[in-house]
Amino acid sequence: ATKSSIHSNNDPIMRNIMNRNSNRLFDIRGGGDIEISEYDNEYDETDSDDFNNQSIEERNSNDNQQVSIFSIISRSFKAGIDAMKDENNEELSLIGKVITVMSSMINAVFQPAQNNNDDSDTDDMEGRSEKEEELFRDFGGFLSNAYHVTLPDDDDENARASIDSGPFTDALQNARSAARLLVVFIPASKPSKKKQQQKSHDQIAIRSILSSDVHKVSEKKSRKKESYGSFLFWSTKPNSSDASTTIKRLKIKPSSSKSKKPVLLVAYPSQTIDSRGRPKIVPRILAQHHCNPPPTPESMSAWLNALRKRHAKQYDAMQHELREIKLFKERSEGYTTSAKEDTQREEDKLKEEQKRLEEERIQKEKEGALKERRKILLESLPEEPQSTGEGIITIALRIEDGRKGQRRFIHDTKIDVVFNWVDAMFEIERESIILTTMNGRQSFSYGEDEDMSLEDSGLGRLAALRVTKKKIESNDSESNDSENEE
């Protein structure tokens, strides 16, 4: 009877508790106020004394349990989504991917929830000046300020290693494109807002990384004949998503000692080909420092210098790849430039050919028009008088090319008719010549005086004229003459 009364829908106490808890759950999810049902009113009227025996602490614990359940579910789904996005799982089969996603979701259920205040250590960065904000753009500046690391006064700010942040995949790509090994540093714990008298492992490691000695080693030539540097630095916040992804991808085992140690290692950004035939960069750990104790600036620079000498093959592989890429780009650019030049030459050649054909067409049309005009001019010439009597003027021509001509005209013939005769008989355009007497005192041009006759021109019964072409002055000479006149 007791069991049936607890689980029965007719129990007013259980109905009221379930309704009130559902109301609180709706408020937690972001809902508004809910009206109390008729069961609540019934309970308040009949069994209010029994319900008031439940303590406030018990009701709050129920609420916390509900919130915890939903946070666990949310964390589980997020872990599953991150596992599906992980590049290391691309080569797995479908069953393997399903198993990996399920195991990630199960592990997320039993792992304690991370503190959502990951950005609490950056709250003190708000309200800073522009100069201080520029300092915090470099993750090394953020580490030195957040962990209260004081660098030596003689260290130049420009002589410190630049630490990149952001996705670990981008850091690998940057290191590969710069032909450098990647130094990975992940602090062990979050920075404390209060200064500690005893330096932590994180502070010692950060001080060493940002020292000028380590910077000199990182910028030293990896090989004598090359101009590339040696190391690139990357870091992230502890317990962040980037930190968790990087530790999982590098398969770093947690420290066995009780005190937490920061992660400090050197990775080689190796390039492989995935199952789809695409290049993929995979990190390969070359060396990991135990950080017990963390290295000093001198020991860390010596450690990195030894790794630089030891892994010359890795440097050679990355630099060879960069040379091949550079050569490929040069060849591609050269091919593109050569193709453009060939195309331009073909276009210029085509334009010249079109211009030549156009000029030939115009010349042919002009010659055809001249030929037709000379035929008409020849037919329009007046009949030549037979005698040399009175009123007859004989014109003798001497042309520049050595040809000569002679013809009789009536004295009242217009001077332009003589030009028509020269154009029709000797195929010299009348507009382009000048008729000049032998003594040079008189000269005539076509169209100057259409009404002038041979008699009016002052020519005698026998006149000798020299046929010369007009001189066409260039635009330059005309402009020079106008300048001189000014």
Side-chain angles (χ1 to χ4, degrees):
T2 303
K3 183 176 180 181
S4 60
S5 63
I6 294 176
H7 296 280
S8 174
N9 293 331
N10 297 324
D11 187 3
I13 298 177
M14 292 305 298
R15 286 202 307 270
N16 195 282
I17 292 175
M18 293 174 64
N19 289 332
R20 290 183 179 274
N21 287 339
S22 63
N23 294 344
R24 294 192 186 96
L25 179 59
F26 187 81
D27 292 335
I28 292 173
R29 289 182 174 179
D33 297 334
I34 302 179
E35 296 181 357
I36 300 176
S37 64
E38 58 182 356
Y39 298 106
D40 292 333
N41 297 330
E42 179 184 355
Y43 169 75
D44 291 337
E45 295 174 358
T46 57
D47 302 302
S48 60
D49 294 336
D50 296 335
F51 180 73
N52 289 333
N53 292 332
Q54 184 179 10
S55 64
I56 298 175
E57 290 79 3
E58 184 177 355
R59 280 180 284 174
N60 291 336
S61 64
N62 292 334
D63 294 341
N64 293 333
Q65 289 178 0
Q66 292 172 355
V67 175
S68 177
I69 291 173
F70 282 107
S71 64
I72 291 174
I73 295 175
S74 176
R75 188 167 67 249
S76 176
F77 276 105
K78 185 176 183 301
I81 294 173
D82 293 339
M84 287 189 291
K85 293 181 179 180
D86 193 356
E87 295 180 355
N88 294 329
N89 300 331
E90 291 183 358
E91 299 180 358
L92 298 177
S93 61
L94 180 60
I95 298 176
K97 290 181 179 179
V98 173
I99 295 174
T100 303
V101 172
M102 294 298 296
S103 60
S104 300
M105 296 176 68
I106 294 172
N107 292 334
V109 171
F110 294 101
Q111 288 179 355
Q114 295 182 357
N115 189 3
N116 294 329
N117 299 326
D118 289 342
D119 298 333
S120 60
D121 51 356
T122 62
D123 293 340
D124 56 345
M125 295 174 59
E126 297 181 357
R128 297 181 180 272
S129 62
E130 294 182 358
K131 184 176 181 181
E132 291 174 337
E133 287 180 359
E134 291 180 0
L135 176 64
F136 276 85
R137 289 175 186 173
D138 177 23
F139 200 75
F142 164 74
L143 290 176
S144 63
N145 285 272
Y147 286 86
H148 308 289
V149 176
T150 304
L151 300 175
D153 296 334
D154 56 348
D155 277 1
D156 184 8
E157 292 184 359
N158 297 325
R160 298 173 186 171
S162 177
I163 302 178
D164 293 340
S165 184
F168 183 62
T169 305
D170 295 346
L172 289 173
Q173 183 64 45
N174 294 336
R176 184 75 185 186
S177 61
R180 298 190 181 202
L181 299 180
L182 183 63
V183 180
V184 178
F185 172 70
I186 302 176
S189 59
K190 294 182 179 180
S192 176
K193 294 184 178 180
K194 296 181 180 180
K195 293 186 178 180
Q196 301 177 356
Q197 295 181 354
Q198 186 177 1
K199 294 183 179 179
S200 64
H201 288 73
D202 293 336
Q203 290 176 321
I204 298 173
I206 293 171
R207 179 183 174 89
S208 300
I209 293 174
L210 296 178
S211 64
S212 58
D213 295 338
V214 173
H215 174 70
K216 291 178 182 178
V217 175
S218 65
E219 296 300 325
K220 186 179 292 186
K221 294 181 180 180
S222 55
R223 300 182 67 192
K224 293 182 179 179
K225 297 181 180 180
E226 301 293 341
S227 59
Y228 302 99
S230 299
F231 296 96
L232 191 70
F233 294 84
W234 178 84
S235 180
T236 186
K237 296 179 182 179
N239 299 328
S240 63
S241 58
D242 288 333
S244 302
T245 304
T246 304
I247 291 174
K248 179 181 178 181
R249 187 171 184 181
L250 294 174
K251 300 179 181 179
I252 301 174
K253 296 181 180 179
S255 177
S256 59
S257 59
K258 295 182 180 179
S259 60
K260 293 183 179 180
K261 304 294 188 300
V263 175
L264 180 61
L265 56 88
V266 177
Y268 167 60
S270 176
Q271 181 167 307
T272 59
I273 304 298
D274 60 9
S275 58
R276 299 180 182 179
R278 298 176 302 181
K280 178 182 178 181
I281 297 179
V282 178
R284 185 162 62 89
I285 299 178
L286 300 180
Q288 182 175 358
H289 201 282
H290 52 76
C291 288
N292 190 20
T296 62
E298 293 77 11
S299 61
M300 186 172 182
S301 59
W303 180 55
L304 294 178
N305 196 32
L307 291 175
R308 178 183 63 84
K309 295 178 180 179
R310 185 184 306 166
H311 298 284
K313 292 183 179 179
Q314 283 76 11
Y315 284 115
D316 183 65
M318 291 187 291
Q319 293 168 6
H320 177 72
E321 178 185 351
L322 290 182
R323 288 193 296 269
E324 291 294 327
I325 293 175
K326 183 180 179 181
L327 182 60
F328 175 76
K329 288 183 178 179
E330 290 177 353
R331 289 177 177 175
S332 300
E333 291 175 357
Y335 174 78
T336 303
T337 304
S338 178
K340 289 182 178 178
E341 291 178 352
D342 293 342
T343 304
Q344 188 64 36
R345 281 195 296 267
E346 292 295 331
E347 291 178 356
D348 295 342
K349 186 177 180 181
L350 181 61
K351 289 180 180 179
E352 291 178 358
E353 182 67 18
Q354 291 176 351
K355 183 179 179 181
R356 185 184 64 82
L357 294 175
E358 182 66 16
E359 290 176 353
E360 290 182 355
R361 183 186 65 80
I362 294 174
Q363 184 66 23
K364 288 181 179 180
E365 291 179 356
K366 185 178 179 181
E367 291 177 355
L370 287 175
K371 187 176 181 181
E372 186 67 23
R373 187 183 73 173
R374 284 167 183 161
K375 181 179 179 181
I376 296 173
L377 291 177
L378 186 60
E379 294 176 352
S380 63
L381 289 176
E383 187 177 351
E384 184 179 2
Q386 298 296 328
S387 62
T388 58
E390 189 174 349
I392 303 301
I393 297 176
T394 302
I395 301 297
L397 299 178
R398 182 177 293 179
I399 305 174
E400 288 181 333
D401 57 8
R403 290 181 295 172
K404 297 179 181 180
Q406 183 174 328
R407 192 180 192 279
R408 292 184 294 270
F409 296 93
I410 303 174
H411 63 88
D412 58 354
T413 303
K414 304 298 183 182
I415 191 70
D416 285 349
V417 176
V418 179
F419 283 94
N420 294 339
W421 169 56
V422 175
D423 194 338
M425 293 298 297
F426 302 96
E427 297 183 352
I428 303 174
E429 293 184 41
R430 57 191 179 183
E431 295 86 1
S432 63
I433 59 174
I434 297 176
L435 300 179
T436 310
T437 57
M438 292 300 177
N439 56 13
R441 293 177 182 178
Q442 290 178 293
S443 61
F444 308 95
S445 297
Y446 179 78
E448 285 186 353
D449 194 351
E450 299 178 354
D451 296 332
M452 181 183 293
S453 63
L454 295 178
E455 184 179 8
D456 297 336
S457 65
L459 297 177
R461 294 178 59 184
L462 181 60
L465 299 176
R466 183 181 290 111
V467 181
T468 57
K469 288 189 176 182
K470 293 180 180 180
K471 293 182 180 179
I472 302 175
E473 296 181 356
S474 61
N475 295 331
D476 295 337
S477 61
E478 292 178 358
S479 60
N480 292 333
D481 293 341
S482 61
E483 291 177 358
N484 294 332
E485 291 177 359
E486 292 177 357

